[in-house]
Amino acid sequence: VVPCWVAYVVRWRVMPSLAPELLPVGATIGLGFWKVYVPWGISHLLFLLVKPYTPLAKYEMLFDWYVGSVANGDNSSARGKGAKAHDSFLSYAWKPTAYIAVHALLSLEGYAAAALSLRREACFLAWVSLIFALNIKTAFDFYRAGTDPDYSPGNKFVNGLRDSALSWCVILPLFLWCEREAV
């Protein structure tokens, strides 16, 4: 969220009249994905692959929470276990690889929202507000699940898809309305 606030100041307050001609939406999405996400995704995948074999294995991350590599099947915390000693590297490695692949696909949604936000300030403010609110909700679920064995936030993937759909129910009509008003 923090880079969004910096981008907001630069794009909409410091240099709106100096902004170069905007790239098409598809080019904006591709540029962000290949120049920002792919380098981050590769380095994050490498970190997740080695994490269980380091002293950091005892610390749970959102990845562990989503794929259950640290959490018990009943959603209770299993901090400190990391990858089990009898697990082979390949039996573990598919989880972070699949996680990053799905994350990459879903991140394209964020780049699409960024492309719309680059064009319309109202879309930017709505999207950042939605991101902020949903990050607070996810953080609450993550930390509560780690401290309260009776708490279950439900299917996290389905909840994320629902939150995403609801966000698009706000941002897309807003963008279309702004585009119509600008003509």
Side-chain angles (χ1 to χ4, degrees):
V1 173
V2 172
C4 290
W5 293 115
V6 172
Y8 171 78
V9 171
V10 172
R11 170 66 177 99
W12 295 105
R13 295 295 176 245
V14 175
M15 52 183 265
S17 61
L18 302 177
E21 191 63 34
L22 297 175
L23 293 171
V25 171
T28 304
I29 294 168
L31 184 66
F33 185 78
W34 290 107
K35 297 289 185 179
V36 176
Y37 186 86
V38 169
W40 174 87
I42 291 170
S43 59
H44 193 59
L45 174 60
L46 294 173
F47 171 77
L48 291 174
L49 289 171
V50 301
K51 180 184 168 263
Y53 309 101
T54 70
L56 296 173
K58 64 183 176 181
Y59 299 106
E60 191 172 32
M61 297 173 53
L62 279 175
F63 160 74
D64 302 307
W65 187 54
Y66 273 101
V67 301
S69 64
V70 174
N72 292 328
D74 61 357
N75 280 336
S76 63
S77 180
R79 294 176 194 260
K81 290 186 178 179
K84 297 175 183 76
H86 63 275
D87 285 349
S88 71
F89 177 75
L90 291 178
S91 69
Y92 166 76
W94 75 270
K95 287 181 181 181
T97 303
Y99 175 80
I100 292 295
V102 170
H103 191 273
L105 288 174
L106 296 175
S107 291
L108 288 172
E109 168 196 30
Y111 287 106
L116 301 182
S117 297
L118 183 64
R119 284 153 180 71
R120 299 288 168 220
E121 183 178 17
C123 293
F124 179 84
L125 294 173
W127 191 253
V128 168
S129 299
L130 290 163
I131 290 171
F132 190 72
L134 294 172
N135 279 344
I136 290 172
K137 177 188 158 294
T138 301
F140 173 82
D141 287 342
F142 174 73
Y143 289 111
R144 182 159 179 206
T147 59
D148 182 356
D150 296 326
Y151 179 74
S152 176
N155 186 316
K156 296 172 279 284
F157 186 70
V158 171
N159 289 344
L161 291 176
R162 180 203 61 221
D163 294 346
S164 174
L166 291 172
S167 297
W168 278 102
C169 286
V170 171
I171 192 87
L172 195 54
L174 180 61
F175 177 75
L176 294 172
W177 180 78
C178 288
E179 287 290 299
R180 190 185 77 213
E181 292 297 312
V183 174

